[in-house]
Amino acid sequence: KMAFFPKNMEDPEFMCLTEPWLGFGLPETLIVDNGLENHSHALSGLFQHMGLAINLEFCATRSPWQKPHVERFFAAAATFLKSHAGRVTKPRKGETQTSTDESAVLTFSELRSFLYRWVEEIHNKTPHSRTKLIPRVEFEAGMRSCPPFRIPVSAELFDFCATREIHRTVGPHGVSLHGLTYGGHNLHELKKRTGEKFSARIRYSPENLSNIYVFDTVRKEWLKAFCTDQKYSQNLSLAEHKSIMRFRDHQLANSGSRKTLVESRVRLLNDIRNSVRSGKRLKLSSKHMLEKHVKGVKPTLIEQEIDRQVEEISLPDFSFDPRTISNVKVIQELR
């Protein structure tokens, strides 16, 4: 999308530019690297779904000399934008790798803005070391002699075609995706026609989680459903959402609430053991609760001492009489 569509200088992302961005339009051939994301069916399917006759070619693997202009461009950009702060390096033996969330110094949008400025104000106006030709002047001359094709579709259609498609269950409360819930009038009407719970095709954009698209199998159309927390999800990308969730999980681990939860589990197990020992019968719900706590996720390293206390608790075995399913009998006598 960034390569195909024009860059409006009134957009906050491109207000840093001093001159209009020339590089946009519909290419005849798109040459990409051999990354797995480029070999996905989503990229080739995007062009087919939109009816764009774009030839997709891949560079040869382990052959950087076949794309010297690309390698030289990124080498020049890395040299100019070089910064020791926040730089990701390969881990060495015996060194602890710092988390990127803690070492990062720029947001991705800021880095992209600086890259735009470098391309427009420095790279495109720096004469070639041998030919002494200015890239922007040559680019303008090439556009006059062979103008690029314009995009025959709208940006909204392009955004929809570039979404990812998955399958999710539509339930009474809507659609759950990456911990977010989606609903709305369109989804409510769809459930009236289809049912309260069914599996559906879902399309979502990793760049904006504020809404998704649900396929209506009856009318053969895509319906838009909105996130119930619009204040949080507005212009929220999937990468930002995952980073926020990791931060919340880290804060929860350091708050001590997990340790309190495990201590409560120990007290509950002790109470259940004392109830069984005193001759009380456990109901079916109590057995399920007991099994849930016994087979639960192991505590963290900080809670190893509490885990040892849990292992020391001897728990009785239970069996069910099929003739009297409501009764739970203890088959192991406690000494």
Side-chain angles (χ1 to χ4, degrees), residues 75-121:
T79 302
F80 184 80
L81 299 174
K82 186 175 181 179
S83 172
H84 293 287
R87 189 176 181 86
V88 178
T89 58
K90 293 183 179 179
R92 299 179 181 178
K93 186 177 292 186
E95 292 184 356
T96 304
Q97 187 70 10
T98 307
S99 172
T100 54
D101 290 339
E102 299 176 359
S103 61
V105 295
L106 290 175
T107 63
F108 183 74
S109 58
E110 290 174 336
L111 176 62
R112 191 162 55 182
S113 177
F114 291 142
L115 183 61
Y116 293 153
R117 290 178 55 186
W118 173 79
V119 170
E120 179 58 44
E121 300 177 6

Side-chain angles (χ1 to χ4, degrees), residues 21-25 136-148 150:
W21 188 278
L22 301 179
F24 68 94
R136 184 178 178 87
V137 175
E138 295 300 307
F139 195 87
E140 290 176 334
M143 289 186 64
R144 287 193 295 268
S145 61
C146 184
R150 297 309 180 196

